Amino acid sequence: MRIGELASRAGVSVRSLRYYEEQGLLTSTRSASGQRHYTDHEVERVVFIQRLFAAGLSSRTIAELLPCVDSPSEENSDAALERMAQEHDRLSERIADLVRTRDALAGLMAMAQAHRVTMAQAHRERLRSAVGD
């Protein structure tokens, strides 16, 4: 099948498929005229690559995991599991950083709200004083 059909069947853009090839995640054969050709197997591979991207993995990390798919072995499986554990830890730390940042922003918002209330009360007091004069 040609690149457009693979894109349609896998639910991705042609541009994504070209990117996957550039990154070494996908291979094709070329016709005499230079057109890319793929097998049905590549549909499953592209769907799998999409799932890895959706899990927050980079193309470099995905390339490190693909030997487990291309050459299944206990060693490749162990290496893939270890790499995924590293990515899981990295994402967990990133989430913790985001939670800290969100909490700091919530604190600043509370301070700003309290300041706004104080300013409004002071303004009302000034108006009362001005009217009472």
Side-chain angles (χ1 to χ4, degrees):
M1 83 185 80
R2 293 188 356 196
I3 194 168
E5 183 179 349
L6 176 59
S8 177
R9 288 179 57 188
V12 300
S13 67
V14 169
R15 183 176 179 190
S16 292
L17 296 177
R18 288 185 181 124
Y19 174 75
Y20 297 166
E21 280 201 48
E22 288 173 13
Q23 299 302 307
L25 307 177
L26 183 67
T27 58
S28 65
T29 56
R30 298 286 184 133
S31 68
S33 62
Q35 293 181 337
R36 294 173 170 93
H37 288 277
Y38 303 92
T39 65
D40 288 337
H41 172 73
E42 274 76 37
V43 175
E44 293 174 27
R45 184 180 187 91
V46 170
V47 170
F48 180 64
I49 289 168
Q50 285 293 111
R51 289 178 66 201
L52 294 170
F53 274 120
L57 302 179
S58 67
S59 58
R60 181 185 311 158
T61 300
I62 293 170
E64 293 173 18
L65 297 176
L66 288 176
C68 182
V69 175
D70 297 334
S71 304
S73 70
E74 194 171 318
E75 182 180 332
N76 284 342
S77 180
D78 289 345
L81 286 169
E82 175 60 29
R83 187 65 179 102
M84 285 187 280
Q86 291 170 358
E87 284 300 306
H88 186 274
D89 292 346
R90 182 188 65 81
L91 289 171
S92 294
E93 183 56 37
R94 187 169 168 207
I95 290 167
D97 287 344
L98 287 170
V99 167
R100 284 189 290 274
T101 301
R102 182 200 60 200
D103 292 348
L105 181 58
L108 289 171
M109 290 170 64
M111 287 174 48
Q113 183 64 32
H115 180 68
R116 183 175 180 212
V117 168
T118 302
M119 286 181 16
Q121 289 171 344
H123 179 68
R124 284 191 295 275
E125 289 299 320
R126 282 192 302 273
L127 287 176
R128 281 189 204 126
S129 294
V131 171
D133 287 344

